[in-house]
Structures are given as structure tokens and as C-alpha cells.
């Protein structure tokens, strides 16, 4: 996927701490098509690379719309967008890529937490009324981006925490037909709570430190405690003939790429799948959101940007 320039056509305030950006081709050419669930990889003026879900209308090929939550305690990308990116700023972009596609189904439930609304917004717009419902929780109404756009759609329930508390997941999920496909995008806690309660088809995308819904954050296991864990371990890179020590506080990817040039990676947050690496021996400890339960249990593959060793040693096919 090659990097290409897009110009920021407009910057608007979508909600408290949420900016909406429209990115367009500098020559005015039509942009590549995309489908709901897709995201862009964006290289900021500082060189930082971040991923943001597309939240506009796929039929509009003149611009890509992103919604970016400001996270002062994040890794700096959202702060840079909120403070340095202006109309006319040129950003390097890759994509769109879709790892969260809308699968065909008779009925859907969408659950959004905060800025997790961004990939879900084009999904609900693409579906016929009566086939879906959306429960959208946020800190307060003022913090909930795109609430006005959603207010005109049937099947939408807004749940501002300051006045209505958290969404009643037991009530919402308890009444669903078993073949309902549930899409959930939000912070780790929401995803976990939904996974504990729903045994039917479930598609998730995490944000809140770690994911593309329009945010970053330090609190997610994918980029916080997960990847740079408190225990060190040894890693043998079998094809390279190297044995290295992954000290506490460093990621496995960091150590591997320091020794072996050209290691593929992108999000560094455990959700894009680029750094997937074959495990030849040892037990991986997974912190990604890419692998399914069977793949995790097999122990033969892992995302080295966030994964660690469950034990003293790993052997990788690197
Ligand atoms: Fe994206 Fe590891 S770099 S999953």
C-alpha cells in the first residue's frame, strides 16, 4: 500500500473534544472507494502514524471524513491533530483498508462507546430501516459526536452517562434474536462486557488507547500494559540465528526490529495484523484483537507488537 498525499479540506468541531476532518485529493481527483468499517492510516506532520475510521458517506468520492477524539493522555497523535492540523495541511495517507466489514445479516445491533461511533455510522446509514438498532453511549450528550445526524434515524438510542448511566447491556442483549449480528466499537471494557454476555455473532473493534475508531490512548492493553509487560523473556529468532532478551517495558516488536531490518508492522496496537509472526516454540501471550479463539489456542502465531511470552522463552520464525 503506497503513501499518497491528501489535503485537509476542512476542520470542524463535531462534539466536545472531537474534531471532524475532511481529507481530499490535492488535485481534486476522485478518491478510492471504500465500504463501511474501513479506516485510513494517516501520517501526521510530526511523522507519527495513526489510524482513523472513515465515518462519512462512501458515495461521496470527493473527500474522506474522519472524527478524532482529543486524548491529552494519549501518545500525542490526537493532540497533534487538534492543535497543529489546519485547513490546507497535507497528510500522508495509506488505504482505505477494511478489517471491520459489514457482513450480510437479517438483523443487527450496533453498540458504540464514545468515538467508537465512527465506523458504525456509515454502517447504519447503509442498512434499511427496521433491520438494525444502535445503542450509543458517551460521557455526556455534548461529548457524543454525530448525535444530530443519528437523531434523524429510527432505531437509535443515545445513552449519555451523566444523565442516563451506562447502557443496560443485559437488557439490550437479552432480548435479541440469536442470529442478530452484534457490532461493537468502543473501549476495551465495553467490548469485554459485550463478549461476556453475547454468544451470537459478534464483530468488535476496540479503541480507547488502541484503535482506529478515531482515537488512541495509553490505557489499552494493546498499547499500554499489554505490549510492554513487567516480565522479561528470551526470544530466539530462528531464521536469523539470533537470541535476544526482551526486557520489561519493551515490546517484542521493538526488540525484533532493532535486530532484523524490514520487519513488517503498522498499527503497533494489535489490531491491523501486519506484524503477525509464526511461533515455532514457547507459549505466546496474546494481547491483540486480530486472532480468533482457535488461533490463540493453537499458539502457532502471534502479533509481536503487543504479544509477549507466557513463560521464559519464545522461538519465532524470523
Ligand atoms: Fe498491527 Fe501488530 S503492527 S497488529
Amino acid at each position: 500500500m503506497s503513501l499518497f498525499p491528501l489535503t485537509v479540506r476542512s476542520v470542524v468541531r463535531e462534539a466536545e473534544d472531537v474534531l471532524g476532518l475532511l481529507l481530499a485529493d490535492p488535485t481534486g481527483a476522485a478518491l478510492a472507494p471504500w465500504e463501511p468499517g474501513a479506516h485510513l492510516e494517516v501520517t501526521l506532520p510530526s511523522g507519527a502514524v495513526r489510524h482513523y475510521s472513515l465515518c462519512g458517506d462512501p458515495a461521496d468520492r470527493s473527500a474522506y471524513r474522519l472524527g478524532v477524539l482529543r486524548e491529552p493522555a494519549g501518545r500525542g497523535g490526537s493532540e497533534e491533530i487538534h492543535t497543529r492540523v489546519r485547513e490546507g495541511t497535507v497528510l500522508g495517507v495509506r488505504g482505505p483498508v477494511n478489517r471491520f466489514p459489514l457482513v450480510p445479516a437479517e438483523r443487527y445491533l450496533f453498540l458504540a462507546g464514545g468515538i467508537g461511533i465512527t465506523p458504525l455510522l456509515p454502517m447504519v446509514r447503509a442498512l434499511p430501516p427496521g433491520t438494525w438498532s444502535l445503542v450509543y453511549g458517551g460521557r455526556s450528550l455534548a461529548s457524543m459526536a454525530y448525535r444530530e445526524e443519528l437523531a434523524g434515524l429510527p432505531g437509535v438510542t443515545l445513552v449519555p452517562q451523566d444523565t442516563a448511566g451506562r447502557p443496560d447491556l443485559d437488557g439490550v442483549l437479552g432480548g435479541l434474536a440469536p442470529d442478530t449480528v452484534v457490532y461493537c466499537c468502543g473501549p476495551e471494557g465495553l467490548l469485554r462486557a459485550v463478549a461476556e454476555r453475547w454468544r451470537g455473532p459478534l464483530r468488535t473493534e476496540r479503541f480507547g488507547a488502541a484503535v482506529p475508531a478515531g482515537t488512541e490512548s495509553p490505557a489499552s492493553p494493546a498499547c499500554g500494559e499489554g505490549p510492554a509487560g513487567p516480565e522479561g523473556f528470551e526470544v530466539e529468532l530462528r531464521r536469523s540465528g539470533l537470541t535476544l532478551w526482551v526486557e520489561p517495558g519493551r515490546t517484542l516488536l521493538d526488540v525484533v526490529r532493532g535486530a532484523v531490518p524490514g520487519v513488517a508492522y503498522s498499527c503497533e496496537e494489535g489490531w491491523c495484523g501486519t506484524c503477525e509472526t509464526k511461533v515455532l516454540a514457547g507459549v505466546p501471550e496474546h494481547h491483540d484483537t486480530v486472532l480468533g479463539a482457535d488461533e490463540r489456542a493453537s499458539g502457532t502465531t502471534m502479533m509481536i507488537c503487543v504479544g509477549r511470552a507466557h513463560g521464559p522463552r519464545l522461538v519465532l520464525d524470523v
Side-chain angles (χ1 to χ4, degrees):
M1 242 193 329
S2 55
L3 191 72
F4 57 95
L6 290 183
T7 304
V8 177
R9 195 169 83 187
S10 70
V11 181
V12 295
R13 187 176 182 274
E14 299 284 9
E16 210 171 80
D17 292 331
V18 178
L19 283 185
L21 268 56
L22 282 183
L23 307 185
D25 186 282
T27 68
L31 299 172
W34 60 281
E35 294 190 339
H39 71 270
L40 286 185
E41 180 186 293
V42 178
T43 301
L44 302 176
S46 66
V49 177
R50 297 292 183 268
H51 300 82
Y52 298 103
S53 294
L54 293 173
C55 63
D57 176 1
D60 178 4
R61 304 273 302 276
S62 72
Y64 293 137
R65 183 171 75 159
L66 313 178
V68 181
L69 172 69
R70 185 174 199 166
E71 295 180 284
R75 293 175 300 137
S78 69
E79 195 66 17
E80 182 175 348
I81 287 188
H82 276 252
T83 57
R84 288 183 53 195
V85 170
R86 301 273 179 269
E87 207 178 298
T89 301
V90 177
L91 301 171
V93 169
R94 284 192 171 89
V97 172
N98 199 348
R99 299 190 193 282
F100 192 44
L102 192 53
V103 296
E106 293 290 311
R107 49 186 81 81
Y108 303 84
L109 169 70
F110 297 95
L111 293 168
I115 196 68
I117 190 62
T118 48
L120 305 185
L121 185 56
M123 292 187 184
V124 299
R125 284 189 171 288
L127 291 169
T131 62
W132 60 271
S133 56
L134 164 71
V135 177
Y136 175 15
R139 214 174 55 245
S140 64
L141 259 192
S143 74
M144 294 167 73
Y146 311 114
R147 63 187 183 281
E148 279 113 10
E149 286 180 37
L150 288 162
L153 302 176
V156 175
T157 307
L158 302 182
V159 188
Q161 194 177 339
D162 59 348
T163 56
R166 291 174 190 263
D168 172 17
L169 293 180
D170 290 323
V172 172
L173 295 165
L176 291 183
D179 62 344
T180 305
V181 177
V182 175
Y183 277 79
C184 180
C185 185
E188 181 73 21
L190 174 65
L191 270 54
R192 203 178 307 124
V194 172
E196 281 165 6
R197 289 166 172 80
W198 179 243
R199 293 287 162 254
L202 175 62
R203 305 267 166 156
T204 61
E205 189 163 85
R206 179 181 48 178
F207 82 77
V211 225
T215 169
E216 53 172 11
S217 120
S220 151
C223 67
E225 64 267 36
E231 303 291 330
F233 59 95
E234 191 175 85
V235 59
E236 178 187 336
L237 309 182
R238 180 69 52 86
R239 275 190 289 120
S240 308
L242 295 169
T243 298
L244 307 166
W245 178 250
V246 183
E247 63 210 42
R250 280 192 82 191
T251 67
L252 183 49
L253 171 65
D254 208 20
V255 170
V256 172
R257 74 183 169 196
V260 182
V263 172
Y265 65 94
S266 178
C267 72
E268 296 187 70
E269 295 171 346
W271 59 266
C272 78
T274 308
C275 70
E276 183 168 1
T277 302
K278 210 160 144 189
V279 179
L280 301 176
V283 181
E285 181 184 286
H286 302 286
H287 292 281
D288 62 273
T289 53
V290 177
L291 298 176
D294 290 354
E295 291 169 306
R296 283 167 182 263
S298 77
T300 57
T301 186
M302 71 185 296
M303 302 302 142
I304 60 170
C305 62
V306 291
R308 298 188 70 80
H310 190 73
R313 180 177 162 83
L314 275 182
V315 181
L316 300 180
D317 185 25
V318 174

